[in-house]
Amino acid sequence: LEEKKKLLGMELDDDDEDYQKELEAKKNASKLLRPLTEEESQIVKDAVHGIGPPSDTMAQINNDIVVRESMNRLQPRQWLNDEVIHYFLLMLSKRDETLKKERSHFFKSYFMTKLLNEGHASLDGKYEYRNVKRWSKKVPGKDLFALNKVLFPINQGNAHWVCAVIYMKDKRIQMYDSLGGSG
């Protein structure tokens, strides 16, 4: 049990509710994933650690691509870029289409940047709904409020990514931060 705590990076008592929730979440997540085959592992290794022109396309769905330079950012101690984040959410969206359950929507990695005019000289940080108004027309079923979840990544200070999830039925917003920020 102590080893499990150490692996989870936790120093909590067995009775601690957060610890119990974390263990349950890890257990549930492990049920969703299967181990990669040797061939699949080699494909991942080649994509992330392989050598070649930085502009080589490593994955593509319609007009959305991930190039080798972006895949290399999946190595330890590298900054992720928006291309990797966007493509991951695109893959989740494609998976969501195949599931027979309440749907979710995954906004692009620059949703919050547009919504808050980030980087704009005179409007930086100013809420501007009209910048993203038409984006909601692409949600499954055309009704944002009928969805189960709405997810969107947020780049904080061009240095760290967090994920915000709106649980529509619960009327709750949850921030997920790998660094443990309170968001």
Side-chain angles (χ1 to χ4, degrees):
L1 186 60
E2 290 304 315
E3 259 183 61
K4 286 182 182 178
K5 287 184 195 178
K6 199 179 281 187
L7 284 172
L8 293 173
M10 305 177 81
E11 296 180 20
L12 302 170
D13 295 329
D14 296 344
D15 298 337
D16 189 296
E17 186 177 338
D18 289 337
Y19 172 69
Q20 294 301 326
K21 285 181 182 178
E22 185 72 22
L23 278 180
E24 186 66 26
K26 294 281 184 185
K27 182 180 167 186
N28 290 338
S30 70
K31 292 177 187 175
L32 297 174
L33 302 173
R34 65 167 175 76
L36 296 176
T37 66
E38 283 186 39
E39 182 181 350
E40 290 167 334
S41 292
Q42 189 61 47
I43 290 169
V44 170
K45 183 178 177 185
D46 290 344
V48 174
H49 300 284
I51 297 172
S55 61
D56 275 358
T57 298
M58 305 304 293
Q60 180 172 0
I61 295 178
N62 300 325
N63 292 331
D64 295 297
I65 65 167
V66 176
V67 297
R68 182 181 308 280
E69 180 180 26
S70 295
M71 290 298 290
N72 290 158
R73 292 174 179 266
L74 293 171
Q75 295 178 40
R77 293 176 297 286
Q78 297 290 318
W79 295 107
L80 293 178
N81 64 9
D82 62 336
E83 186 175 280
V84 171
I85 301 293
H86 170 71
Y87 201 82
F88 178 73
L89 292 175
L90 177 65
M91 298 303 298
L92 289 176
S93 178
K94 293 293 181 192
R95 184 190 71 172
D96 190 65
E97 289 173 10
T98 66
L99 301 175
K100 304 289 187 233
K101 63 174 185 74
E102 295 177 356
R103 297 290 304 277
S104 297
H105 184 67
F106 305 84
F107 277 111
K108 293 184 181 282
S109 56
Y110 44 90
F111 175 79
M112 288 301 290
T113 302
K114 288 287 197 188
L115 181 67
L116 298 177
N117 285 298
E118 290 178 2
H120 191 282
S122 63
L123 299 174
D124 193 26
K126 182 178 181 238
Y127 173 84
E128 196 78 52
Y129 173 68
R130 69 183 168 138
N131 289 352
V132 296
K133 182 179 179 178
R134 63 184 175 84
W135 291 29
S136 64
K137 293 178 180 174
K138 296 182 179 180
V139 302
K142 308 287 187 216
D143 182 2
L144 192 65
F145 298 99
L147 297 174
N148 184 31
K149 294 186 262 303
V150 178
L151 293 88
F152 48 97
I154 301 169
N155 188 311
Q156 296 182 323
N158 242 1
H160 178 61
W161 289 95
V162 297
C163 184
V165 181
I166 303 172
Y167 294 89
M168 299 303 285
K169 298 214 173 26
D170 296 341
K171 297 179 181 170
R172 176 174 60 96
I173 299 173
Q174 181 80 39
M175 295 288 289
Y176 295 92
D177 182 350
S178 64
L179 298 179
S182 60

